Amino acid sequence: MERPEWEKHGGGMGEKVCLITGATSGIGRATAIGLAHMGARVVMVGRDQGKGEAALAEIKEKTTNPSVDLMLADLSSQEEIRRLAVEFNETHPRLDVLINDAGLFRSERITTADGLETTFAVNHLAYFLLTNLLLDVLKTSAPSRIVNVSSGDHTNGTIDFDDLQGEKGYKGPKAYSQSKLANVLFTYELARRLEGTGITANCLHPGGRVPVRTNFGSGVSGVFGVMVRSLRPLMISPEKGADTSISLASSPEVEGLSGRYFVKKAEARSSDVSYDERLARRLWEVSAQLTKLPA
Ligand SMILES: NC(=O)c1ccc[n+]([C@@H]2O[C@H](COP(=O)([O-])OP(=O)(O)OC[C@H]3O[C@@H](n4cnc5c(N)ncnc54)[C@H](OP(=O)(O)O)[C@@H]3O)[C@@H](O)[C@H]2O)c1
């Protein structure tokens, strides 16, 4: 059996500070465990105090790494993302790796406290806003890395600027694949904007041809929910699903590589539309507007 990514690299993360969203479950949790095993100072982001503290205690015990912390934020709320960034900046002088992993699927259209559609807000705008708010500390910590967890499902996505938030007609699969395409477009545009700063930005599909056995889609009704539940026995473990995130966060082999998409730890081609630079710039501008950041 192939060894997990973290075991191959041993304690290679030294004192590196890694902030991981979605660290309370699934791929993000397995990524936090892997990087903690490698000696990193891991800051987990969770939204639920009880679940977060349980995951924190388990990770510390499993990895015997005492340098694992928890920060709480509901990433559907821009106010909470801003508070998280302020708290992180006040308590951490450096950030070597930011992993944007938190994501969800919604079969119904639900709006956030900011009045935005939840899939778009959590899966894309939260990556966009948190990353932008942490760019200064990433710059002073360079060489540093940004890792965005997308999905192979981005290939089914289009960016529908006429109905970005499903107000005219909401469909869960369409909203999800749009948000995952947005992850790829955001990563490529970010990499272009960060050229020469020593910060790299890459994205990935976790796992391979079969999905990863996580909480993803567990409470979802309809065809998508049935499909996710019926595929569960065939799915790969979260540990395996976290290999590419861990590799992009830690491997010397990807040092300096930026603006790339990875599957199973290898560079891969993303969908044709994801390479459209005008589309990526337009998405950046709209995202900046929606998060009240300068474009
Ligand atoms: N599973 C797969 O096969 C697969 C395939 C392709 C891509 N992905 C991507 O992988 C990433 C991780 O998904 P997963 O499969 O590990 O699913 P998961 O087990 O459901 O984990 C999702 C994580 O996101 C967090 N999250 C969701 N909404 C949040 C919010 N509003 N604020 C803060 N945190 C929030 C969850 O927090 P709680 O623990 O509090 O719920 C959880 O930690 C997602 O971006 C997903 O799109 C997964």
Side-chain angles (χ1 to χ4, degrees):
M1 213 173 79
E2 210 195 327
R3 288 185 299 153
E5 192 59 23
W6 59 265
E7 215 177 280
K8 287 186 219 157
H9 296 284
M13 285 303 273
E15 289 283 290
K16 293 219 154 115
V17 179
C18 303
L19 182 74
I20 307 169
T21 71
T24 47
S25 173
I27 296 159
R29 187 172 147 281
T31 304
I33 293 173
L35 292 171
H37 267 303
M38 293 169 81
R41 301 180 74 86
V42 173
V43 183
M44 308 163 57
V45 178
R47 60 178 157 172
D48 179 88
Q49 187 159 9
K51 191 171 180 182
E53 282 172 0
L56 174 68
E58 190 208 341
I59 294 175
K60 277 186 172 173
E61 196 195 311
K62 232 183 192 159
T63 63
T64 66
N65 181 342
S67 302
V68 185
D69 291 316
L70 170 70
M71 296 186 111
L72 292 173
D74 180 339
L75 300 172
S76 70
S77 154
Q78 293 186 10
E79 194 186 330
E80 294 215 9
I81 296 171
R82 287 177 196 280
R83 184 188 42 74
L84 169 69
V86 169
E87 274 178 23
F88 182 87
N89 281 322
E90 279 173 1
T91 48
H92 295 79
R94 59 179 302 111
L95 176 59
D96 299 279
V97 182
L98 166 65
I99 302 181
N100 289 302
D101 171 274
L104 48 76
F105 178 94
R106 288 277 175 270
S107 28
E108 314 271 310
R109 186 176 189 279
I110 299 167
T111 52
T112 67
D114 303 307
L116 300 164
E117 189 283 308
T118 305
T119 316
F120 190 69
V122 174
N123 293 10
H124 167 60
L125 290 177
Y127 284 28
F128 180 86
L129 180 57
L130 184 62
T131 302
N132 274 290
L133 296 175
L134 295 174
L135 278 185
D136 285 344
V137 65
L138 283 158
K139 271 182 197 152
T140 57
S141 313
S144 50
R145 302 179 182 196
I146 299 164
V147 178
N148 292 326
V149 180
S150 175
S151 166
D153 189 50
H154 82 272
T155 53
N156 295 319
T158 51
I159 305 292
D160 185 355
F161 285 110
D162 291 333
D163 192 22
L164 212 44
Q165 301 191 51
E167 284 159 297
K168 295 183 191 159
Y170 181 83
K171 288 216 163 63
K174 183 181 172 209
Y176 181 72
S177 48
Q178 172 177 262
S179 72
K180 293 287 127 180
L181 172 61
N183 294 158
V184 183
L185 287 161
F186 165 53
T187 304
Y188 293 168
E189 178 65 16
L190 182 65
R192 284 188 282 274
R193 288 174 184 238
L194 291 177
E195 251 173 60
T197 61
I199 312 174
T200 60
N202 292 296
C203 57
L204 65 110
H205 166 66
R209 266 187 299 157
V210 281
V212 188
R213 199 179 314 111
T214 65
N215 240 351
F216 191 81
S218 57
V220 170
S221 57
V223 182
F224 184 82
V226 173
M227 193 186 75
V228 169
R229 282 185 289 278
S230 64
L231 280 175
R232 266 190 94 75
L234 305 173
M235 293 181 185
I236 61 168
S237 69
E239 291 70 33
K240 197 94 210 79
D243 269 1
T244 307
S245 297
I246 294 172
S247 160
L248 286 177
S250 64
S251 172
E253 283 160 34
V254 292
E255 185 79 58
L257 279 188
S258 193
R260 320 284 174 100
Y261 173 70
F262 289 79
V263 181
K264 285 184 166 178
K265 296 184 283 178
E267 201 180 325
R269 190 173 161 79
S270 53
S271 67
D272 288 349
V273 72
S274 70
Y275 295 102
D276 183 334
E277 295 188 17
R278 279 180 52 199
L279 180 69
R281 263 198 310 278
R282 187 169 171 202
L283 178 66
W284 185 287
E285 281 156 16
V286 172
S287 306
Q289 237 169 31
L290 290 169
T291 52
K292 301 179 183 64
L293 288 181

